[in-house]
Amino acid sequence: MKDLDSLLKTKTCLEKLANGINPTNNQPIDDDHILNDVRVLRCLFNALDVLSCVIQNGGTIANRKRREFTIEQEKLENFPYSEQSITMSVFLRKINELVDLNEVKKLTRRGIIEKLLEMKLLEDAQGRYGQVRLCPSQLGIEMGMTMEKRMGYKGSHYGIYYSKKAQEFLIDNLQMFL
């Protein structure tokens, strides 16, 4: 491919310049030359990084559009359930690790939470200071969801935690949440 060959030659030239070598005669560039200025060198190395990515993508400059989240059933069969209750964030991280995020978009909490509200497994509750927050309904509690107070870097907060039984329910019904 002629365009890719041209990119490889350009990369070689940039590498030499960034490393203080004149690409036309392979001699070191003088120390007081503008190409040895730290700011210029940073720009050359940044351009080299971008060019390397373009070459790795076969000459494609922009990322292709990723498809909506999908996952094969066989990957779900090997889902690494946690014996301890986990948050939705941890659950989603485990799922997203099973797919190629260069090909598909991440699975996010929004659709799952909306569906859990619809199914009456979660409900809005009035907090002590008048704020509205999500919490497991009685049906959600029976499913294995709990509300726990935890300490974070901003102080204490309440979070919803999903037991192994609740994680299994989410995986078994994942297609419904997409």
Side-chain angles (χ1 to χ4, degrees):
M1 173 186 269
K2 186 177 180 187
D3 292 335
L4 199 51
D5 289 339
S6 176
L7 291 175
L8 289 168
K9 287 177 185 174
T10 302
K11 180 182 176 204
T12 301
C13 182
L14 273 177
E15 284 173 333
K16 287 182 179 185
L17 289 170
N19 288 304
I21 298 172
N22 181 331
T24 59
N25 61 15
N26 290 323
Q27 296 298 312
I29 297 172
D30 292 334
D31 288 341
D32 62 341
H33 196 280
I34 186 68
L35 289 175
N36 277 324
D37 182 276
V38 159
R39 293 166 294 198
V40 173
L41 287 173
R42 280 191 199 128
C43 291
L44 288 172
F45 279 110
N46 284 338
L48 192 53
D49 286 344
V50 171
L51 186 57
S52 295
C53 289
V54 170
I55 291 169
Q56 275 185 319
N57 288 336
T60 304
I61 294 172
N63 286 339
R64 20 181 190 166
K65 276 232 182 228
R66 294 181 293 161
R67 299 183 322 268
E68 291 300 317
F69 180 86
T70 57
I71 188 168
E72 296 83 21
Q73 187 61 38
E74 60 201 35
K75 288 187 178 180
L76 292 178
E77 290 169 4
N78 296 318
F79 182 79
Y81 294 103
S82 174
E83 294 297 325
Q84 295 179 322
S85 294
I86 58 174
T87 62
M88 180 60 72
S89 297
V90 172
F91 176 78
L92 289 170
R93 185 172 358 104
K94 287 179 167 210
I95 287 183
N96 287 321
E97 287 172 353
L98 298 175
V99 298
D100 182 356
L101 294 175
N102 292 316
E103 297 291 325
V104 297
K105 294 178 182 176
K106 277 184 175 183
L107 180 61
T108 61
R109 67 185 303 125
R110 184 178 185 190
I112 295 175
I113 297 299
E114 286 175 3
K115 197 67 172 177
L116 291 173
L117 281 163
E118 225 176 87
M119 297 169 75
K120 308 271 189 242
L121 293 169
L122 292 178
E123 61 189 10
D124 290 326
Q126 188 94 17
R128 184 175 0 167
Y129 300 106
Q131 77 276 22
V132 176
R133 68 171 175 233
L134 289 176
C135 67
S137 65
Q138 187 57 44
L139 190 57
I141 292 169
E142 292 168 13
M143 181 64 62
M145 299 175 195
T146 58
M147 188 79 150
E148 297 179 26
K149 186 175 184 177
R150 295 287 170 110
M151 285 301 292
Y153 68 95
K154 290 185 176 180
S156 65
H157 66 280
Y158 286 92
I160 300 172
Y161 287 78
Y162 299 81
S163 68
K164 184 177 179 187
K165 179 181 174 185
Q167 296 167 50
E168 289 169 344
F169 172 80
L170 292 172
I171 291 294
D172 290 345
N173 294 285
L174 190 62
Q175 295 305 317
M176 177 178 30
F177 300 117
L178 303 179

